[in-house]
Amino acid sequence: MPLLLLLLAVSVFVYGWLARRNSTLTRDCRWRLDRTLGVSHYRCASCGAECDTGSPRQPRHCSRAQ
């Protein structure tokens, strides 16, 4: 049983690391789909940045002006 818990903990950590490694998003990034401008137009609720991804997937990179 302890071996299964250890395996579960390691696999959750590895999944989290793999899911975040190709993303520059922070806690401040709040992408929302804005269908008034198109089916793939996203707007950040935090900073107001806009992005048209060309697909129905959310942006994975922050567009905030540095």
Side-chain angles (χ1 to χ4, degrees):
M1 185 66 170
L3 185 60
L4 286 175
L5 289 175
L6 180 63
L7 181 64
L8 178 65
V10 168
S11 38
V12 166
F13 176 75
V14 168
Y15 171 76
W17 178 72
L18 288 174
R20 279 292 285 179
R21 71 178 178 171
N22 290 329
S23 176
T24 61
L25 298 178
T26 64
R27 287 183 178 208
D28 294 334
C29 296
R30 303 281 187 237
W31 289 106
R32 301 292 187 250
L33 183 60
D34 187 3
R35 292 196 183 249
T36 59
L37 298 173
V39 294
S40 62
H41 190 84
Y42 286 87
R43 180 174 301 174
C44 181
S46 177
C47 69
E50 295 184 7
C51 178
D52 194 1
T53 61
S55 70
R57 301 182 85 191
Q58 284 187 350
R60 293 195 42 88
H61 298 288
C62 184
S63 297
R64 184 180 323 122
Q66 300 294 338

